[in-house]
Amino acid sequence: MSQTRVVVVGSANMDLVAMAPSLPRPGETTLGTDFVMVPGGKGANQAIAAVRAGASCVFLGAIGSDAFGVTLKARITAAGVDTSLLRVVYGASGVALVMVNAQGENAIMVTPGANDALVGLTDDELAAVRAADVLVAQLEIPVQTVAAAAVAARAAGTRVILNAAPARDLPPELLAAVDLLVVNEGEAQAFTGRGREEPRALLDLVPRAVLTLGDAGAWYVDRDGTEAHVPAVPVDVVDSTAAGDAFTAALAVGWGEGRDVVDAVRWASAAGAACVRKLGASVALPRRAEIDELYVPG
C-alpha cells in the first residue's frame, strides 16, 4: 500500500491550554490545575494528525514573525509535516485560549493573527494541491483561499474534504468542489437548519457528508442512498479539544488509502476516541497504532 499524500490548507495557532475543575462564568475567576502551551489551529492539528495516521503531508498556512511563530514552525516540522511552503508574515501568530474542565469540555477563544493573511495561493502552493491524493481544508482562514485550493484540487482529480468549522457562508464554487463534508451538529444546524434528526439535508450542499455527534457517534450519508451510523468508541474523556481534527485527518488518510468511506469513518472514530484520552491539542493526536487499537470493523 502506497503512502497517502495529503495537503492540508488551514490555520496554525499557539494553543494556551488551562485545566480547571469547572469553566469560569462571565466575571468569574476560576483557579486552574494545569497549563500547557502547544501548537494548534485546525489546519496544523489536522496536518500533524495525518502524519501520525500514516500519510505524508504538506501544510499550507501562515505564521507570524513573533516567538510563537518560531515555535510553531519548529514543532510542526518536528512532527514530520512538510512545512517548506509555510508562510511567515510580519506580526502576530494566531493564538487560541483554551479552557478545559474536569469533564473534558472546553471553551475556546481564537485570535487569527497571521492566519488572516493566507490569501492568494502561489504557483508552488497550487502545485502541491494538484499533486496530492487528498486536500483537507477548514474555515479558520479566509474562505476565498479555501475555495481556490478546492477548485484547483477538483480540476486535478484530488479529493477534497472540507471540515466546515467554524460555520461560515460557503461560496458556490467551493461547494461544487467538495467531495466530502465533515460537520458537527451545530455546524449542520447552521448550514441546513437541521441537526442530527436529518443528516441527509447536508446532501443539498455536497455529494457526501459526515455528521459527527460526539459520544453519539457519527452519521455518513451520500447521494447514492447510503446512510450509516457509526457508534462512538467508549473511552474515558480527558480533553475533547482536538478530537474533531484527529477524526477528519484519519478520515482523509483512511479514504486515501482505499478504505470505503463508511469504514474510513469507523477508523476516524477510533482516532477521535484515542485523542480525547489525553490533554492538549496537537500533543494528543494519536499515532496509527493507537487508532488501530480502538478501531472496530463493521
Side-chain angles (χ1 to χ4, degrees), residues 188-263:
Q189 184 75 32
F191 287 123
T192 69
R194 302 178 185 180
R196 70 180 66 197
E197 73 279 1
E198 189 48 67
R200 296 195 68 82
L202 294 165
L203 299 179
D204 292 339
L205 304 174
V206 293
R208 303 172 191 83
V210 176
L211 173 60
T212 62
L213 299 169
D215 59 7
W219 282 96
Y220 169 76
V221 292
D222 63 33
R223 289 176 180 170
D224 292 331
T226 305
E227 186 169 331
H229 178 254
V230 175
V233 180
V235 294
D236 292 329
V237 177
V238 174
D239 179 7
S240 61
T241 300
D245 297 330
F247 179 99
T248 300
L251 177 60
V253 175
W255 195 26
E257 288 178 348
R259 296 175 186 261
D260 68 70
V261 191
V262 175
D263 190 53

Side-chain angles (χ1 to χ4, degrees), residues 16-50:
L16 309 179
V17 185
M19 289 282 290
S22 61
L23 299 176
R25 295 182 293 272
E28 179 185 19
T29 298
T30 299
L31 186 63
T33 57
D34 295 285
F35 173 79
V36 293
M37 185 175 75
V38 293
K42 297 190 73 64
N45 287 345
Q46 291 177 14
I48 293 171

Side-chain angles (χ1 to χ4, degrees), residues 13-20 33-42 44-46 48-49 52 75 96-101 103-108 236-247 271-286 290:
N13 300 318
M14 185 59 76
D15 286 356
L16 309 179
V17 185
M19 289 282 290
T33 57
D34 295 285
F35 173 79
V36 293
M37 185 175 75
V38 293
K42 297 190 73 64
N45 287 345
Q46 291 177 14
I48 293 171
R52 291 186 178 175
R75 294 193 182 180
L97 307 176
V98 184
M99 296 178 291
V100 184
N101 69 12
Q103 289 72 48
E105 299 169 325
N106 61 59
I108 304 173
D236 292 329
V237 177
V238 174
D239 179 7
S240 61
T241 300
D245 297 330
F247 179 99
C275 182
V276 302
R277 298 186 297 183
K278 300 177 184 178
L279 174 65
S282 60
V283 293
L285 297 167
E290 297 174 277

